[in-house]
Amino acid sequence: MVTMVDKFGRLVIPKDVRERLGLHPGTALELRESEGEVRIRSVEAGPHLIRQGNVLVIQGVKAPDDLAGVVRLDRLQRIRKITGKR
C-alpha cells in the first residue's frame, strides 16, 4: 500500500486500515526508524485514573503492579495542568 505525507508532515492511514486495526483519534502510535524504514505500531494505552464521584478509579486492561506509581503520576500530571508547568 502506498500513501503520501502531506505538506504538514502528516501521514494518512486509509479508513479501512484504521477500522481493521481499531485506530481512533487519540490512539497512541509508536514510530521506530531503522535502516531507512519507519515502522508504526499501535501502543496499548496504559492505565489511567478517572474520577467517579469522590473516588479515583483505575481504568485500563488490568491493574498495574505499581498502583501507587500510577497514582503519583496522575497527581503530578494534575498539578502540572493546574500550575501550567510542564
Side-chain angles (χ1 to χ4, degrees):
M1 173 182 302
V2 176
T3 188
M4 302 292 284
V5 176
D6 70 11
K7 66 181 180 179
F8 299 106
R10 297 176 296 203
L11 176 69
V12 175
I13 301 172
K15 183 178 180 180
D16 61 323
V17 174
R18 292 191 318 266
E19 288 176 346
R20 265 196 322 274
L21 297 175
L23 302 176
H24 305 286
T27 299
L29 298 174
E30 177 183 20
L31 300 176
R32 287 191 179 183
E33 178 187 359
S34 173
E35 300 176 14
E37 293 182 345
V38 176
R39 291 181 175 221
I40 303 171
R41 71 179 187 100
S42 62
V43 178
E44 188 174 309
H48 60 280
L49 299 173
I50 63 166
R51 183 170 299 283
Q52 289 184 351
N54 292 326
V55 179
L56 288 175
V57 178
I58 192 161
Q59 295 284 306
V61 177
K62 70 174 202 147
D65 294 333
D66 182 18
L67 185 55
V70 173
V71 172
R72 279 192 300 275
L73 179 61
D74 180 74
R75 183 179 297 136
L76 179 62
Q77 290 171 341
R78 287 185 287 125
I79 290 170
R80 287 179 176 165
K81 184 177 179 181
I82 291 169
T83 62
K85 295 182 180 177
R86 295 197 176 252

